[in-house]
Amino acid sequence: MTGAPAHVVLALDEVFALSRKVLLRHGASGAHADAIARVITQGQRDECHSHGIYRLLVCARSLRSGKVDPRAEPTLRDIAPGVLAVDAHYGFSLLAFETGLPVLAQKARGQGIAAMAINRCFHFSALWPEAEAIAAQGLVGLAMNPSHSWVAPAGGTRGVFGTNPLAFAWPREGTLPFVFDFATSAIARGDIELHAREGKPIPPHWALDGQGQPTTDARAALAGAMQTFGGHKGSALSAMIELLAGVLIGDLTSMESQAFDQGAGASPCHGELVIAIDPRRFGGGEAAQARAERLFGAITAQGARLPSQRRFEARERSERDGVKVPRALYDDVLKLLD
Ligand code: NDP
Ligand code: PYC
């Protein structure tokens, strides 16, 4: 007996239109709905499943919590020749990023390097779309942010750090940039949530249960504490992100963001630090691009892959064939329109 197909296939413009409709239905302004729908479509397109269509459920929950201002208009503040702050005014982060990017790029070109602090934003998205947007301007990009204190420090058992992503992009001539973007936890929390939704076990190094023991049960992991990647190394990087994208920019750490949520279950509210570097203004000179290409060539020549290669292949496939969305997830998203 054949049942309903396990997946639905959507064209990218259908993903965008559906996302936009859900967001508008939950009160987002047109500008926020556009900025969010663009990034959710990019996530699904690149098969970044933890940050694709699934995020519509998270955004809707955040909007229903009443914590997010769905119509907030970001404002810019010029802090120094190389420093810009964008106040999201408790709206989602993506419109704030889009608003600040042209000024950040202009400052980076003028100064060689510039930093943008995004403050008071609700944050749910992957960072590679932002790193790629910086690289598309011919600039090197770095982005990082805290989240909620779900992650235990190496050697500990209780949450202190967020899943704290770190993204980097290096522009390349005539081809897609070199990009990596990873949580400093062993895996993004969104992936554990997807395992929990689908009733699938997780690898034991991802998280500890409530008794501080490694667990393969996704629900026990969500109730316990996640682990950092690479033990003490991920732990130190995660602490750095709390300091740079929390304390330094005058915004919340992951522990403070968790407290701010007061159990509402909204996306974390905190800041983000974005850095742009103009490679033409440093000492690498004309040879820099060719030398970078030699480095990438030495990686791929031995059969290793560059980070983002999987995503870029997925992108090509999705642009051609559309994206596959699990039927249960699609149905849950449609329910958001009821
Ligand atoms: P992954 O572990 O899936 O991937 C991390 C990076 O490593 C990617 O750039 C990936 O490229 C690359 N990579 C994976 N395998 C290899 C390999 N064999 N060789 C070379 N490179 C490889 O990501 P995470 O689960 O850590 O994070 C997923 C997303 O979650 C990120 O986009 C992040 O921004 C987001 N996130 C957002 C948070 C927030 O607060 N907003 C919090 C935490 C995470 P590829 O994609 O091509 O596989
Ligand atoms: O997947 O860890 C995660 C995450 C946190 C906030 C947004 N995504």
Side-chain angles (χ1 to χ4, degrees):
M1 205 175 87
T2 53
H7 291 87
V8 293
V9 177
L10 300 175
L12 293 178
D13 56 358
E14 291 176 308
V15 176
F16 178 82
L18 175 62
S19 305
R20 194 169 189 280
K21 199 168 166 185
V22 166
L23 292 158
L24 291 174
R25 179 69 60 89
H26 283 76
S29 66
H32 276 291
D34 283 346
I36 296 170
R38 268 193 285 277
V39 163
I40 284 183
T41 306
Q42 287 172 353
Q44 195 67 32
R45 177 198 65 192
D46 285 15
E47 295 176 6
C48 182
H49 295 295
S50 58
H51 290 79
I53 278 184
Y54 168 63
R55 288 288 148 182
L56 287 173
L57 306 184
V58 177
C59 283
R61 192 173 65 231
S62 298
L63 288 163
R64 278 195 302 258
S65 77
K67 291 236 160 209
V68 184
D69 180 348
R71 314 191 73 80
E73 293 182 13
T75 51
L76 305 187
R77 191 158 55 94
D78 196 62
I79 296 197
V83 186
L84 163 73
V86 187
D87 190 337
H89 296 287
Y90 298 106
F92 284 112
S93 66
L94 296 164
L95 186 59
F97 174 81
E98 286 188 3
T99 306
L101 178 61
V103 184
L104 174 71
Q106 190 184 35
K107 281 180 175 289
R109 289 197 189 94
Q111 301 287 125
I113 183 165
M116 170 166 75
I118 301 175
N119 290 114
R120 302 199 292 170
C121 64
F122 284 84
H123 205 295
F124 70 85
S125 61
L127 289 185
W128 53 261
E130 300 180 6
E132 282 191 32
I134 296 170
Q137 308 255 351
L139 303 169
V140 176
L142 261 173
M144 64 192 82
N145 61 264
S147 61
H148 272 176
S149 49
W150 296 307
V151 184
T157 54
R158 291 189 305 281
V160 171
F161 302 135
T163 44
N164 299 7
L166 176 66
F168 172 81
W170 176 278
R172 300 171 69 186
E173 271 159 27
T175 188
L176 290 161
F178 171 91
V179 184
F180 70 74
D181 175 17
F182 51 73
T184 46
S185 45
I187 190 80
R189 189 170 182 85
D191 254 311
I192 302 187
E193 290 167 0
L194 290 179
H195 278 71
R197 270 181 69 84
E198 293 164 17
K200 290 184 182 159
I202 58 169
H205 66 279
W206 283 7
L208 307 172
D209 63 18
Q211 283 70 49
Q213 297 303 314
T215 182
T216 57
D217 178 333
R219 290 192 184 281
L222 293 173
M226 296 172 67
Q227 304 240 56
T228 56
F229 86 90
H232 60 283
K233 300 180 185 182
S235 201
L237 276 179
S238 209
M240 177 193 80
I241 293 170
E242 299 287 342
L243 293 170
L244 291 180
V247 177
L248 181 83
I249 65 169
D251 218 312
L252 302 184
T253 62
S254 297
M255 289 192 300
E256 291 163 346
S257 172
Q258 182 97 57
F260 176 82
D261 185 61
Q262 297 170 308
S267 285
C269 179
H270 46 68
E272 177 179 343
L273 180 66
V274 185
I275 297 171
I277 302 170
D278 186 345
R280 288 163 289 266
R281 304 297 292 270
F282 281 74
E286 294 295 310
Q289 281 300 336
R291 294 180 61 217
E293 290 307 317
R294 273 205 295 285
L295 177 75
F296 302 143
I299 297 170
T300 53
Q302 48 182 291
R305 76 160 167 96
L306 297 182
S308 294
Q309 185 188 317
R310 177 203 61 80
R311 263 192 324 101
F312 293 150
E313 287 168 8
R315 183 177 301 183
E316 213 178 304
R317 213 168 31 247
S318 301
E319 281 167 350
R320 190 186 56 231
D321 304 333
V323 297
K324 274 167 74 175
V325 181
R327 158 80 50 193
L329 174 58
Y330 182 64
D331 288 345
D332 283 349
V333 169
L334 290 185
K335 281 186 207 142
L336 297 174
L337 294 172
D338 286 349

